[in-house]
């Protein structure tokens, strides 16, 4: 009976996305030009890296990446969460094998999801140079008074 229980548990966990895929994923970050500061928000501890780089994030986190470099316009790239084929298979395995607990775990941890886009690639746009302030408009001079007529 114990062997049957172990086999049944193994089969149920085999369909669990949190077991087969894990609750974290690696996000690759790059930019053109390279050497851009990437600030990853949505993690327990905000993380900063210099492109190209990669970070490990929880699958259920709402992630956005802010790219910034002097001389370039900052960019914010929000990541969405998507259920890929492999995540859907793990989640469906829970359904087919009656793993209600596994389904709950996968839903809570986001194990069945992936962040998109991955890799995250930003093409930085040069910032517009600061314009010099235009000169103040000149006030028109009052017309010169006519020269006195000497009547000669």
């Amino acid at each position: 009976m114990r062997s049957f229980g172990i086999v049944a548990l193994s089969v149920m966990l085999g369909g669990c996305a949190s077991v087969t895929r894990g609750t974290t994923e690696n996000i690759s970050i790059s930019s053109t030009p390279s050497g851009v500061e990437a600030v990853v928000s949505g993690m327990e501890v905000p993380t900063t890296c210099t492109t190209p780089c990669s970070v490990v994030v929880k699958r259920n986190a709402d992630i956005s990446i802010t790219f910034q470099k002097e001389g370039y316009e900052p960019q914010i790239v929000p990541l969405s969460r998507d259920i890929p084929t492999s995540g859907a298979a793990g989640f469906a395995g829970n359904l087919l094998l009656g793993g209600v607990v596994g389904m709950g775990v996968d839903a809570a941890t986001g194990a069945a999801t992936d962040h998109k886009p991955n890799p995250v690639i930003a093409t930085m746009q040069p910032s517009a140079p600061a314009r010099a302030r235009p000169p103040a408009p000149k006030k028109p001079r009052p017309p010169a008074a006519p020269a006195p007529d000497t009547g000669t």
Side-chain angles (χ1 to χ4, degrees):
M1 190 59 133
R2 179 184 285 197
S3 297
F4 177 74
I6 291 173
V7 169
L9 183 61
S10 297
V11 169
M12 287 173 57
L13 288 177
C16 184
S18 59
V19 171
T20 59
R21 296 168 32 87
T23 59
T24 61
E25 71 177 306
N26 194 36
I27 304 289
S28 297
I29 305 169
S30 63
S31 64
T32 302
S34 60
V36 173
E37 180 183 53
V39 180
V40 184
S41 303
M43 300 172 60
E44 290 176 4
V45 176
T47 302
T48 301
C49 63
T50 303
T51 62
C53 58
S54 63
V55 293
V56 176
V57 300
K58 288 187 176 183
R59 290 185 185 274
N60 65 347
D62 291 321
I63 302 294
S64 67
I65 302 173
T66 303
F67 293 88
Q68 48 197 19
K69 182 173 184 164
E70 189 172 330
Y72 293 88
E73 294 291 326
Q75 287 188 32
I76 299 174
V77 178
L79 277 61
S80 62
R81 291 185 303 217
D82 187 28
I83 299 177
T85 307
S86 58
F91 198 75
N94 286 328
L95 183 64
L96 294 174
L97 299 173
V100 175
V101 172
M103 288 175 65
V105 169
D106 288 350
T109 62
T113 62
D114 283 339
H115 286 95
K116 300 289 180 197
N118 189 9
V120 180
I121 302 169
T123 301
M124 303 299 287
Q125 301 298 319
S127 56
R131 293 183 184 177
R133 206 186 284 178
K138 294 182 179 181
K139 293 182 181 179
R141 289 186 177 177
D149 191 16
T150 55
T152 47

